[in-house]
Amino acid sequence: REALAVTAQLCGPELERYGRCVAASPGSWHRDCHQLSLSVTECASNHPLVRRIRRDCSEPFGAFERCLREQPRDTAQCQPHVSRFLQCAQNVTQLSPNVTSGATPSATPER
């Protein structure tokens, strides 16, 4: 939820353009909207939390993307993949309080 909120906050215009494209191209959005998808990804990847989610949740997200490519006309079939990815992302945000606040972790001096 935090990562989606960060992405929406930082990349709202990109997300909106991508969403409009997907809605306008139900059968071919994966091709027609690819460039817009890349712009959302590029924008979001500048935030530390999003980078961590992309690293830690790459497997469930990849499964979701494969599902969308394989079933572009029946995306409801991909719901289990979405759920696994969102659960992973939620776990990452709960374990990363410094990252979610935008702070960078500081090194603790040894004594």
Side-chain angles (χ1 to χ4, degrees), residues 22-77:
V22 169
S25 307
S28 59
W29 64 267
H30 54 287
R31 287 186 313 271
D32 297 347
C33 307
H34 180 69
Q35 219 33 60
L36 293 170
S37 172
L38 294 177
S39 71
V40 172
T41 301
E42 182 180 339
C43 176
S45 67
N46 292 323
H47 192 279
L49 176 61
V50 176
R51 285 195 304 262
R52 184 153 187 186
I53 289 172
R54 288 184 72 199
R55 183 192 72 209
D56 293 357
C57 302
S58 63
E59 185 178 321
F61 187 73
F64 169 61
E65 285 187 318
R66 277 190 302 281
C67 181
L68 289 177
R69 278 194 305 272
E70 293 167 3
Q71 302 185 55
R73 295 183 197 277
D74 192 11
T75 57
Q77 295 296 318

Side-chain angles (χ1 to χ4, degrees), residues 2-12 15 40 43-44 50:
E2 180 71 24
L4 295 175
V6 167
T7 302
Q9 180 181 8
L10 298 176
C11 308
L15 279 173
V40 172
C43 176
V50 176

